[in-house]
Amino acid sequence: MEVSCIWSLLVIWIFRTCKVHALLPIPILNLEDRVKVNEETKISCSLPASECSCLEVELKIVTKERLRNCVSYKGDFPNITCTLEVTKEMDEMELSCEAHFRTKSKPQNLNIQTQPEFTDCPENVIWIAGKENRFHCKAKGYPSPTVTCKKDDVEYNTMQKYTSSKNMSGNYHCRAENFNETSKTVTVIVEYEPETPSIIAQPSTSVFEGANLTLTCDADAVPPPTYSWHTPASQVTYLHDNRTIQIRDVKISHEGYYMCIAQNKHGIEMMKQKIAVNSVVIVPETKVEKSSDNSKGARMEPVYTQILAMLISLNLFYYLC
């Protein structure tokens, strides 16, 4: 029984060995015809097909004489070519070609479990409102970590793009996580063009001649806008980086539309406000008799009217009220 088992194993080994060798291609040796003495001849060896591209093969021309200038190619059709300086003694010299095959497995990487580590995650990010943006946060580690950024209970996948808006500005908690986790804070600034400009007039948009007037322009924008004005008169003073203009001793020529222009690198917005200038009415003094107390009260009434008109013209009545 033991002898039969040994013979069976031997037969299986022989069959497998013969089968493997039967599948391997036989190299072909190529010699030039009509070789002459004292001249060089080319000798080449090649495989007939690329059916063994999965194998690494090395071709070698075997002879007792010294070969020169051997050039080999190990692509889909491996071959080798050498030169031999022929002499008379080489007549009927034997040459052969050997093919040496080596097999190997596909390469694989050894993956070692490592905790996540940010490789690219800037602390400050600038987005443009209305355009698609995403967090450029990447992390390495094994298994490959997932990276998310969160703000106000809203979580963002760093691989997706989002249309940014003003309310997306702020600090985000970005986290890289596999079997462990690491985190960092990323500040997002969303820039946008000027919006909702307004002009504030002090004391009001309707003033009397001789009063003082201040106009302040305000617009919501990131980065902060620069301001410029178009005014109906040139006698104005610019304050606070042109955001505010001031007019002392208002005249009729100052009446009209005042336009404020707010601008940054993303856009421009304009706002205009009409200013009305009222003329001061001078009440003439009236003569009264000094006959009684009633006439005294009547005599004082024009005086009060004049004082009131003066306060209005000097813009003091507005603050007293």
Side-chain angles (χ1 to χ4, degrees):
M1 186 68 178
E2 293 181 358
V3 174
S4 62
C5 289
I6 294 174
W7 276 107
S8 298
L9 293 173
L10 181 60
V11 169
I12 293 174
W13 178 82
I14 294 173
F15 175 77
R16 288 184 176 178
T17 303
C18 293
K19 185 178 179 181
V20 169
H21 285 286
L23 293 175
L24 293 177
I26 299 175
I28 300 173
L29 185 66
N30 299 297
L31 303 176
E32 290 183 335
D33 192 18
R34 298 179 183 179
V35 180
K36 296 181 181 180
V37 177
N38 298 328
E39 289 187 1
E40 286 189 346
T41 183
K42 287 186 178 180
I43 304 171
S44 65
C45 177
S46 62
L47 290 179
S50 61
E51 56 193 30
C52 283
S53 59
C54 58
L55 302 175
E56 183 178 344
V57 61
E58 180 180 356
L59 295 174
K60 182 179 180 181
I61 299 174
V62 180
T63 179
K64 64 179 181 180
E65 299 295 336
R66 182 173 177 271
L67 300 173
R68 298 188 303 172
N69 304 323
C70 292
V71 178
S72 62
Y73 174 71
K74 297 182 179 181
D76 292 338
F77 296 90
N79 60 76
I80 183 171
T81 301
C82 301
T83 58
L84 174 66
E85 188 173 347
V86 180
T87 63
K88 184 178 180 181
E89 289 77 14
M90 294 180 185
D91 186 34
E92 297 185 355
M93 182 182 68
E94 185 179 283
L95 296 95
S96 64
C97 180
E98 295 179 354
H100 300 271
F101 295 94
R102 289 193 296 269
T103 61
K104 61 180 181 180
S105 67
K106 292 183 178 179
Q108 298 187 35
N109 296 326
L110 176 64
N111 295 314
I112 301 175
Q113 180 174 277
T114 54
Q115 63 184 11
E117 178 184 354
F118 283 109
T119 57
D120 182 15
C121 193
E123 295 182 354
N124 298 289
V125 179
I126 296 178
W127 292 350
I128 309 300
K131 294 186 177 181
E132 285 190 339
N133 298 279
R134 67 180 179 89
F135 292 91
H136 294 276
C137 282
K138 298 179 182 178
K140 66 179 181 179
Y142 188 82
S144 182
T146 58
V147 183
T148 57
C149 292
K150 188 175 183 181
K151 173 180 174 288
D152 299 335
D153 297 327
V154 180
E155 192 170 82
Y156 299 88
N157 189 321
T158 58
M159 301 304 294
Q160 295 181 355
K161 290 185 177 181
Y162 303 91
T163 301
S164 55
S165 58
K166 291 193 299 182
N167 59 0
M168 294 180 74
S169 292
N171 294 327
Y172 288 76
H173 180 73
C174 294
R175 184 177 64 179
E177 183 177 13
N178 52 17
F179 69 92
N180 205 337
E181 69 174 62
T182 185
S183 62
K184 67 180 300 183
T185 300
V186 176
T187 300
V188 174
I189 299 175
V190 180
E191 296 185 348
Y192 51 93
E193 63 184 4
E195 297 178 352
T196 61
S198 62
I199 297 176
I200 301 173
Q202 291 289 343
S204 69
T205 58
S206 180
V207 295
F208 284 92
E209 286 184 279
N212 296 330
L213 176 65
T214 301
L215 299 177
T216 301
C217 187
D218 185 50
D220 180 25
V222 176
T226 58
Y227 296 94
S228 58
W229 293 82
H230 286 300
T231 63
S234 59
Q235 299 84 9
V236 297
T237 302
Y238 293 89
L239 306 174
H240 308 302
D241 298 329
N242 287 350
R243 183 184 174 192
T244 301
I245 60 175
Q246 190 177 67
I247 304 174
R248 295 184 179 275
D249 191 16
V250 173
K251 297 179 174 56
I252 293 295
S253 61
H254 290 113
E255 184 173 270
Y257 285 96
Y258 288 74
M259 178 178 291
C260 167
I261 302 170
Q263 182 177 9
N264 66 6
K265 62 182 179 180
H266 300 297
I268 185 172
E269 192 66 36
M270 293 176 286
M271 175 69 180
K272 65 180 180 179
Q273 176 64 56
K274 184 178 181 180
I275 299 298
V277 179
N278 302 312
S279 300
V280 177
V281 178
I282 305 298
V283 179
E285 185 177 356
T286 305
K287 293 183 179 181
V288 296
E289 296 180 358
K290 302 179 181 180
S291 58
S292 63
D293 291 340
N294 291 336
S295 62
K296 181 178 180 181
R299 185 174 61 250
M300 293 298 293
E301 184 177 353
V303 176
Y304 291 141
T305 303
Q306 294 181 17
I307 294 175
L308 180 59
M310 181 180 67
L311 289 175
I312 292 174
S313 66
L314 295 177
N315 218 23
L316 295 176
F317 182 74
Y318 173 83
Y319 296 101
L320 290 175
C321 292

